[in-house]
Amino acid sequence: VHRLVTYIFVYEDLISLTCGAIIIWYFASSFEKNVGTVKHCFLTIAFAILSALLYLLLEIVVSRVSEVEDAKGFMPVAFATLGVSTTRSRMKKTLVFGVRVPVVLVPWFMLCIAWFIPHSSLLSNLCGLLAGEAYGLGYCFCLDFPESVGSKLDRVFPFSLLKRIPGLKYIPGSLAERRAFKSSKITPAPGTYPTQSYYCSSAPALPAFQMQHPNVQSQGFQHTCAPG
């Protein structure tokens, strides 16, 4: 039973390990920034188990037609997070290698590319993508928990310990705290941006029609030059 989770840490060679590290850094980090560290850890385990169970179910049928590669590595979970992000994205199209394609087709395009990664299982990646899209469309609503629960878990071991590790970026579970965390990184300190003052060296000359009628100024029309 433990292999339903531990298979995501299995790599056969250095190339697959490097590809897995890049995938974890690119997909998992962006997903963690959107949901928080607590929910990211929970969904990683949930997606790993769902992908493995779906893989075991489909392997019985697919193995009769062709040879099936064993499920291993973090890639199925990465495709699950990608499926969640694309199904819940508000964008309709995005750029992929300079070509505008619908967002819903991006995971399937990436699935075809992942086929060429050494020791990559197409079936397990497909199962991860299906699990992620099912969650993104709301069919796995039982996996969701309120943000109040995530905020409470932030203060419980081991997440309380993760927050104290220097150099480790911990993402809060509350949406308000995540927004404050993002704004704190982009809000400049007072005096960090240079300021420029504007001034007028001399008062502008009066137009010709005002020079011909001096009584215009007596009606309250005065030319001033204010900063800015």
Side-chain angles (χ1 to χ4, degrees), residues 118-188:
H119 306 291
S120 175
S121 175
L122 178 63
L123 180 60
S124 63
N125 295 338
L126 176 62
C127 293
L129 178 58
L130 294 177
E133 291 195 345
Y135 173 81
L137 294 174
Y139 295 111
C140 301
F141 59 90
C142 57
L143 299 179
D144 279 324
F145 53 83
E147 291 187 357
S148 58
V149 177
S151 299
K152 292 179 180 179
L153 291 176
D154 285 336
R155 299 185 291 269
V156 179
F157 182 85
F159 301 106
S160 59
L161 179 62
L162 293 177
K163 298 171 65 175
R164 301 176 182 177
I165 298 178
L168 183 65
K169 185 184 297 183
Y170 187 90
I171 309 299
S174 173
L175 179 60
E177 293 179 359
R178 289 198 300 271
R179 289 178 177 176
F181 176 77
K182 293 179 181 179
S183 62
S184 64
K185 296 189 300 182
I186 62 175
T187 303

Side-chain angles (χ1 to χ4, degrees), residues 13-223:
D13 52 23
L14 185 60
I15 297 177
S16 59
L17 177 61
T18 304
C19 294
I22 295 174
I23 290 172
I24 292 174
W25 169 76
Y26 186 79
F27 289 102
S29 60
S30 60
F31 185 74
E32 182 182 1
K33 292 177 182 178
N34 295 327
V35 300
T37 301
V38 172
K39 198 168 187 178
H40 167 68
C41 294
F42 173 75
L43 289 178
T44 297
I45 299 175
F47 287 153
I49 296 176
L50 288 177
S51 303
L53 293 176
L54 188 58
Y55 171 84
L56 294 175
L57 181 63
L58 296 179
E59 183 189 19
I60 302 175
V61 180
V62 179
S63 59
R64 299 176 181 177
V65 181
S66 62
E67 185 179 356
V68 179
E69 186 77 21
D70 292 337
K72 63 179 74 72
F74 191 81
M75 201 173 298
V77 180
F79 273 101
T81 58
L82 181 60
V84 176
S85 302
T86 52
T87 51
R88 295 187 176 183
S89 177
R90 297 181 179 179
M91 296 189 303
K92 299 298 181 181
K93 292 186 177 182
T94 185
L95 288 176
V96 178
F97 297 108
V99 180
R100 294 183 63 85
V101 297
V103 175
V104 293
L105 297 180
V106 173
W108 303 97
F109 179 75
M110 298 297 294
L111 187 65
C112 297
I113 297 178
W115 198 357
F116 298 96
I117 298 178
H119 306 291
S120 175
S121 175
L122 178 63
L123 180 60
S124 63
N125 295 338
L126 176 62
C127 293
L129 178 58
L130 294 177
E133 291 195 345
Y135 173 81
L137 294 174
Y139 295 111
C140 301
F141 59 90
C142 57
L143 299 179
D144 279 324
F145 53 83
E147 291 187 357
S148 58
V149 177
S151 299
K152 292 179 180 179
L153 291 176
D154 285 336
R155 299 185 291 269
V156 179
F157 182 85
F159 301 106
S160 59
L161 179 62
L162 293 177
K163 298 171 65 175
R164 301 176 182 177
I165 298 178
L168 183 65
K169 185 184 297 183
Y170 187 90
I171 309 299
S174 173
L175 179 60
E177 293 179 359
R178 289 198 300 271
R179 289 178 177 176
F181 176 77
K182 293 179 181 179
S183 62
S184 64
K185 296 189 300 182
I186 62 175
T187 303
T192 55
Y193 283 141
T195 57
Q196 185 175 2
S197 58
Y198 296 89
Y199 67 95
C200 292
S201 57
S202 60
L206 293 175
F209 74 93
Q210 290 188 3
M211 293 178 64
Q212 295 176 1
H213 301 278
N215 58 350
V216 175
Q217 291 188 357
S218 62
Q219 298 176 3
F221 293 90
Q222 298 179 355
H223 286 267

